[in-house]
Structures are given as C-alpha cells and as structure tokens.
C-alpha cells in the first residue's frame, strides 16, 4: 500500500531525521570497527594527537566552522517560511551528512 510521504509534515521529517542519525551512527561503527583494535589510548597520546591534528588541519577546521555558520544562517532564514520548511531543511542537511560518510569511507576500502 502506498503511503504519501509528503503528507507526514513536520512529524515525518522529525522521524526521518532520527532515522538518518541512527543510520549514520551504524555506518560510523561499521567503518571504524576494524580500526578500534589498533588504537592504544592514553591521555598523553590523545593530547599529542589533537595538537598535531590542529596544526595540520587548522585551516580545514576554520573552513568547516564557517560552513556550519552558513548552514546555521540558512536555518535561521528558513524559519521565516514556517516550521515545515525548517524541518525539510534539517532533513536535507542530514542526508548530506549521510552522503559524506560514504565519500569519506571510500579511501578506507
């Protein structure tokens, strides 16, 4: 039986967002599972790793922060068009994050 998805409204978008988050979490666990056995964790190694990562990818962090700022402004602007527009905007961002997991996982295979 066909259920018209567009009639779900904001509740349907909220459900789709939760479902997207669950799928993203599952994909993350699936992709990093083989690497978890190789990691020896200590506070010193974590701090050293974060400092090296920020030195190497500082500009990437700034670009990502600006992108998040743009997405936040887009969401704020979408609130002028109603709650359904904001919900759909949120769903589009969830699907874009989901597709990014796929593209980031390609080098791991």
């Amino acid at each position: 039986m066909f259920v018209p998805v567009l009639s779900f409204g904001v509740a349907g978008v909220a459900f789709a967002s939760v479902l997207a988050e669950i799928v993203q979490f599952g994909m993350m666990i699936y992709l990093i599972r083989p690497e978890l056995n190789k990691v020896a964790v200590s506070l010193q190694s974590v701090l050293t790793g974060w400092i090296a990562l920020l030195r190497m990818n500082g500009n990437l962090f700034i670009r990502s922060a600006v992108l998040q700022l743009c997405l936040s402004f887009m969401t704020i602007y979408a609130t002028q068009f109603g709650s359904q527009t904001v919900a759909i905007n949120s769903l589009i961002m969830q699907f874009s994050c989901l597709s990014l997991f796929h593209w980031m996982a390609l080098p791991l295979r």
Side-chain angles (χ1 to χ4, degrees):
M1 175 181 207
F2 175 72
V3 179
V5 177
L6 297 177
S7 68
F8 290 162
V10 175
V13 172
F15 176 74
S17 294
V18 169
L19 187 63
E21 290 286 337
I22 292 170
V23 170
Q24 288 177 30
F25 180 75
M27 286 176 66
M28 179 196 63
I29 295 298
Y30 175 75
L31 292 172
I32 68 169
R33 187 175 32 102
E35 302 297 322
L36 288 178
N37 296 333
K38 302 176 187 176
V39 177
V41 178
S42 70
L43 182 59
Q44 181 67 24
S45 66
V46 170
L47 289 176
T48 305
W50 274 104
I51 291 171
L53 185 67
L54 286 176
R55 282 189 189 138
M56 183 176 63
N57 292 326
N59 62 347
L60 180 63
F61 174 76
I62 292 170
R63 286 185 284 164
S64 298
V66 170
L67 177 64
Q68 281 299 115
L69 185 64
C70 291
L71 291 174
S72 298
F73 280 127
M74 185 175 70
T75 303
I76 291 169
Y77 183 71
T79 59
Q80 297 174 358
F81 298 105
S83 62
Q84 190 167 6
T85 306
V86 174
I88 291 170
N89 186 21
S90 147
L91 183 61
I92 290 170
M93 284 192 277
Q94 291 294 330
F95 282 128
S96 68
C97 288
L98 185 63
S99 68
L100 287 175
F101 276 129
H102 170 72
W103 289 108
M104 290 188 307
L106 287 178
L108 295 177
R109 302 212 175 239

